Amino acid sequence: MTFTKAQWPRKLRSAEWFGGTSRDHIYHRSWMKNQGLPADLFDGRPVIGICNTWSEMTPCNAHLRDLADRVRHGIFEAGGLPLEFPVFSPGESALRPTAMMFRNLCAMDVEEAIRGNPMDGVVLLAGCDKTTPALLMGAASVDLPAIVVSGGPMLNGMFRGERVGSGTHLWKFSEAVKAGEMSQADFLEAEASMSRSPGSCNTMGTASTMASMSEALGMALSGNAAIPAVDSRRRVMAHLTGRRIVDMVKDDLKPSDILTRSAFENAIRTNGAIGGSTNAVVHLLAIAGRVGIDLSLDDWDRCGQDIPTLVNLLPSGKYLMEEFFYAGGLPVVIRHLCEAGVMDREAMTVSGNSLWEEVKEVRNWNEDVILPVDKALTSQGGIAVLRGNLAPRGAVLKPSAATPELLVHRGRAVVFEDIDDYKRKIGDDDLDIDENCVMVLKNCGPKGYPGMAEVGNMGLPPKVLKKGITDMVRISDARMSGTAYGTVVLHTTPEAAAGGPLAVVRDGDIIELNVPERRLQLEITEAELAARLESWVPAVPVPASGYEHLFHTHVQGADTGADFDFLVGCRGSAVGKDSH
């Protein structure tokens, strides 16, 4: 629907820039017109920002310019004025030391770009892992009408008749080479099948998980998460989103209206049902912090513990995102969960309809890809939150990607002080380690790496792999890729670099993991632990300057979302003083 000026129920925010005859209004309009914009585009219609994380340095997002054009068409059709703007794009595959270090930087960029510019609503164009949470965090802190369009997953990979999942098979084939089961030449040949089209990871990795979280939260149109990047229906989704944001501005439908506690609990349950990435934990905690929702690790355990995993996708299952889309995608999963009585059906979405209204008519076209509740991949999906003297503020583990026999385990610690120490030692046949040991990696949390890199799924020692062993218990304060798998304890807090108990684990210590009882325990006395912590000396110095100094000084722990302490909360969209 195209709106006329008379149909708008309130003065638009963009009128502060364009809606008058003063010198300042003329100044703003005249400069905009140097792009060839006709005068009637400034007649009081809503200005819609298109926040684009396009970058050739972020391969998952390198096709977003085309989607931005499709969004633009929809905005024009609905009577809005689209204006595209770039923001920092933290790409997972190339950015060092880790994209997670720059999620908060991107969120700052997004927030200030939205607040400081003449827009009434914004379309958030995201794809790669950190871009989705960063855009949601920034938009939530401004609280103008906002809606997400994801770039979509790449097409299936195939290698010698086997499905190849981006990321997942990188780890799998790499371990096979170390075990002598695959040649280096074959590994190089398989490389061509790992990323064969535009788009993000084709597994249920972090990119697809966060696209699913956007939809489950109600911040994207129903069906957005799974459409492949190169499918024409992805362009249709972008076009329709452009139309919808204009309606949202008319209705003043803001993130704070959608991102309620019920919305976050729906998303947590959905994450369990899709076998989603552990990274969703830290990102949803951070987004919740921006809208003042007191979400915690306990909510993750409470809401997700009894949710069955229904989506049979790598790394937990066997299919890829392409099949997920053909089976009906996330709306089918949400319908199953609604019918099971575990979702808030009345939660509002960006469509203006409730969650249930959006999914009640969808059908499951492949019950081997999206399983019925009574045939679930695992009866208890979700994320397990562990506590004990080794993780007093919590640690997380993804049961659906773990080896069931290792979920209760007691073993001798083999300690790596940091990632460089791990790389030096892991290939040494003299390393005193076997499959019963517990691998412990320190100083890879938010402050430690810095940035909390995806190194928690440490590769196993070659001498263990050669015995046919494919999994061991691994513990760290790091993250792992959503495409990864294994019995991996992550996000241990407080982190080692902040003086958490992980910092004082020693070779030979006995560690107990008991996932059913949610326990992670270092088997030493309280007195011994206190003495070790008293004598602990930080191994990671505070950087002297630059963004790294800002990050180290202000980043919070993984248990609260690893946001900057000064960014938590909603600062609103108040227009600053005009300097002209």
Side-chain angles (χ1 to χ4, degrees):
M1 177 180 181
T2 300
F3 297 107
T4 66
K5 183 176 180 180
Q7 289 176 298
W8 289 96
R10 71 189 66 80
K11 181 179 179 181
L12 291 169
R13 181 175 180 269
S14 58
E16 295 286 338
W17 283 263
F18 303 134
T21 57
S22 72
R23 183 201 66 177
D24 290 344
H25 292 123
I26 293 170
Y27 173 91
H28 294 306
R29 288 197 303 267
S30 66
W31 276 110
M32 293 299 294
K33 289 179 180 178
N34 80 354
Q35 301 174 74
L37 299 175
D40 63 0
L41 291 182
F42 300 94
D43 63 0
R45 69 187 66 200
V47 176
I48 307 298
I50 303 175
C51 179
N52 200 347
T53 52
W54 171 87
S55 171
E56 290 179 336
M57 293 288 189
T58 305
C60 297
N61 295 20
H63 63 298
L64 294 188
R65 275 187 165 171
D66 175 68
L67 285 187
D69 284 340
R70 306 295 165 159
V71 171
R72 186 187 313 275
H73 295 332
I75 293 169
F76 269 130
E77 284 179 359
L81 170 58
L83 296 175
E84 183 181 347
F85 62 97
V87 291
F88 184 80
S89 183
E92 195 65 41
S93 59
L95 191 58
R96 295 182 179 179
T98 169
M100 182 62 181
M101 184 171 169
F102 303 100
R103 182 201 66 180
N104 297 346
L105 178 63
C106 179
M108 292 170 68
D109 189 356
V110 171
E111 177 181 348
E112 301 306 331
I114 295 172
R115 181 181 296 111
N117 280 298
M119 66 186 80
D120 304 296
V122 61
V123 175
L124 307 172
L125 211 50
C128 192
D129 297 15
K130 308 304 174 293
T131 58
T132 301
L135 268 57
L136 282 168
M137 290 161 67
S141 283
V142 183
D143 205 30
L144 286 179
I147 187 171
V148 173
V149 178
S150 301
M154 65 181 77
L155 296 177
N156 286 2
M158 294 293 290
F159 177 65
R160 299 179 180 176
E162 179 183 2
R163 285 185 185 83
V164 173
S166 48
T168 300
H169 276 76
L170 177 67
W171 322 128
K172 179 179 177 180
F173 289 160
S174 178
E175 298 289 77
V177 170
K178 292 178 185 177
E181 298 168 356
M182 185 180 196
S183 70
Q184 188 67 45
D186 285 348
F187 193 12
L188 291 172
E189 184 181 340
E191 178 184 345
S193 66
M194 290 182 181
S195 305
R196 71 180 188 90
S197 83
S200 55
C201 289
N202 55 20
T203 57
M204 189 52 76
T206 304
S208 292
T209 296
M210 292 312 299
S212 298
M213 293 298 93
S214 298
E215 189 173 330
L217 284 167
M219 288 297 296
L221 292 179
S222 185
N224 169 75
I227 307 170
V230 296
D231 193 300
S232 63
R233 286 163 286 192
R234 174 59 62 186
R235 292 176 170 183
V236 173
M237 177 61 69
H239 194 131
L240 294 176
T241 301
R243 291 180 183 174
R244 178 58 197 155
I245 187 61
V246 179
D247 278 319
M248 290 176 65
V249 171
K250 183 181 181 184
D251 297 336
D252 198 27
L253 183 58
K254 304 182 296 297
S256 59
D257 300 315
I258 297 166
L259 295 174
T260 62
R261 168 164 282 279
S262 288
F264 283 100
E265 291 180 351
N266 282 344
I268 290 170
R269 293 180 176 113
T270 302
N271 189 72
I274 64 175
S277 168
T278 51
N279 287 311
V281 178
V282 72
H283 295 322
L284 286 191
L285 290 171
I287 297 166
R290 296 300 187 99
V291 288
I293 301 296
D294 185 19
L295 197 70
S296 71
L297 286 178
D298 291 333
D299 293 313
W300 273 90
D301 213 13
R302 175 180 57 82
C303 295
Q305 183 172 358
D306 295 323
I307 300 298
T309 299
L310 306 179
V311 179
N312 190 9
L313 261 62
L314 288 165
S316 298
K318 65 178 181 179
Y319 293 108
L320 296 170
M321 287 295 293
E322 201 173 333
E323 284 97 350
F324 184 42
F325 172 61
Y326 301 147
L330 195 70
V332 175
V333 178
I334 292 174
R335 177 176 177 173
H336 284 339
L337 294 177
C338 285
E339 291 173 334
V342 298
M343 300 281 271
D344 179 1
R345 296 183 177 207
E346 301 307 313
M348 176 60 69
T349 74
V350 288
S351 70
N353 297 323
S354 70
L355 190 70
W356 176 244
E357 288 175 305
E358 288 297 310
V359 303
K360 63 184 180 181
E361 302 295 336
V362 300
R363 290 182 58 187
N364 187 349
W365 300 108
N366 190 333
E367 291 192 352
D368 195 39
V369 176
I370 305 175
L371 303 166
V373 173
D374 60 353
K375 297 179 181 178
L377 197 66
T378 61
S379 60
Q380 289 194 326
I383 302 295
V385 177
L386 312 170
R387 297 187 190 275
N389 67 354
L390 192 51
R393 297 209 321 249
V396 302
L397 178 143
K398 182 177 175 180
S400 65
T403 300
E405 294 77 17
L406 291 175
L407 294 179
V408 176
H409 185 79
R410 185 174 176 272
R412 172 173 58 87
V414 176
V415 176
F416 306 98
E417 293 297 327
D418 55 31
I419 192 62
D420 294 322
D421 188 38
Y422 163 80
K423 291 176 178 179
R424 281 192 299 269
K425 293 177 178 177
I426 196 62
D428 188 348
D429 282 341
D430 292 331
L431 181 66
D432 185 13
I433 191 171
D434 61 35
E435 60 271 25
N436 298 309
C437 291
V438 174
M439 298 171 65
V440 176
L441 177 63
K442 303 177 182 179
N443 294 307
C444 290
K447 295 179 185 291
Y449 194 84
M452 200 182 180
E454 293 182 337
V455 294
N457 56 312
M458 295 168 272
L460 306 191
K463 69 178 184 180
V464 171
L465 289 167
K466 289 173 182 176
K467 294 162 67 174
I469 304 298
T470 59
D471 196 11
M472 291 173 61
V473 174
R474 288 158 275 181
I475 300 172
S476 73
D477 47 13
R479 297 177 302 114
M480 76 174 181
S481 168
T483 67
Y485 52 89
T487 310
V488 184
V489 178
L490 303 155
H491 309 187
T492 304
T493 51
E495 64 172 295
L502 188 71
V504 297
V505 179
R506 297 174 181 172
D507 282 324
D509 285 343
I510 301 300
I511 294 175
E512 179 202 13
L513 169 67
N514 190 317
V515 175
E517 296 184 8
R518 299 299 196 256
R519 187 167 64 251
L520 184 64
Q521 196 74 8
L522 179 64
E523 293 188 356
I524 61 175
T525 66
E526 291 184 16
E528 171 67 13
L529 178 58
R532 290 187 189 183
L533 290 170
E534 180 67 25
S535 61
W536 172 77
V537 177
V540 179
V542 179
S545 62
Y547 178 73
E548 191 174 343
H549 173 83
L550 176 72
F551 187 94
H552 191 284
T553 304
H554 291 282
V555 71
Q556 298 179 311
D559 59 312
T560 56
D563 201 357
F564 290 159
D565 50 16
F566 61 87
L567 290 179
V568 175
C570 178
R571 283 162 287 283
S573 60
V575 179
K577 294 179 180 179
D578 196 324
S579 62
H580 305 294

